[in-house]
Each structure stands twice: as C-alpha cells, then as structure tokens.
Amino acid sequence: MTVLTVKTSADAHIISLPETIMAQVGWQKGALIDMSIENGHIVLAPKQTGLTLKTLLAGSPTEKLGLLEEDTDWLSASAVGRENRG
C-alpha cells in the first residue's frame, strides 16, 4: 500500500499520485478523473466520456481502414427501392 500526504494550497487539499500508480492505472497528466465517496472511502475512476468514431478508430492501423471494391460497389449501384441518393 502506498501512503500519501495531504497537502494544502489556498483552499484546496492536494494528494500527489506517484508515477508508478499513474502508470498502473494508465493515467497521464491532464486525465479527467471522477471522484466519489463509497463506504467512507475516496474512489477515483477515469471520467467516462462519450465514444466517438474518432476515438474508437484512433488505435486502428490505417491500412486496415481502406474500402475494398466489394465495399464500394453499392455507391454506383442503381436504387432498388425508395432510397434517397441526394
């Protein structure tokens, strides 16, 4: 267990997290963290943000993101129903 000291700055109370702890939870400087109290304990967790296509694809290799011919065939195909191409 790591023991931390609570420090103060103006009206804030500050706890510094060691780099080893930050690395273990995958946090970096500037990370958004949710804080809650559960059964008298302070609980820190990564801020849950809405997923976007950009964040989902961020780690994907770009060579895997191209369209194959079979993927694009539908672009030049004629409408078969009431599709709106406009």
Side-chain angles (χ1 to χ4, degrees), residues 4-81:
L4 304 173
T5 301
V6 179
K7 300 175 183 175
T8 58
S9 176
D11 290 332
H13 299 288
I14 301 168
I15 299 171
S16 296
L17 300 176
E19 284 296 323
T20 55
I21 299 295
M22 296 285 285
Q24 287 178 29
V25 296
W27 294 349
Q28 297 177 6
K29 179 182 175 183
L32 297 177
I33 308 299
D34 279 328
M35 182 177 69
S36 61
I37 306 294
E38 295 180 14
N39 298 321
H41 294 82
I42 297 172
V43 178
L44 303 176
K47 171 85 174 140
Q48 297 296 318
T49 58
L51 294 177
T52 65
L53 182 58
K54 184 177 182 177
T55 58
L56 290 172
L57 296 177
S60 300
T62 55
E63 66 272 7
K64 299 291 184 182
L65 299 177
L67 295 176
L68 302 174
E69 184 178 336
E70 64 190 46
D71 297 327
T72 58
D73 284 345
W74 64 271
L75 289 172
S76 58
S78 299
V80 295

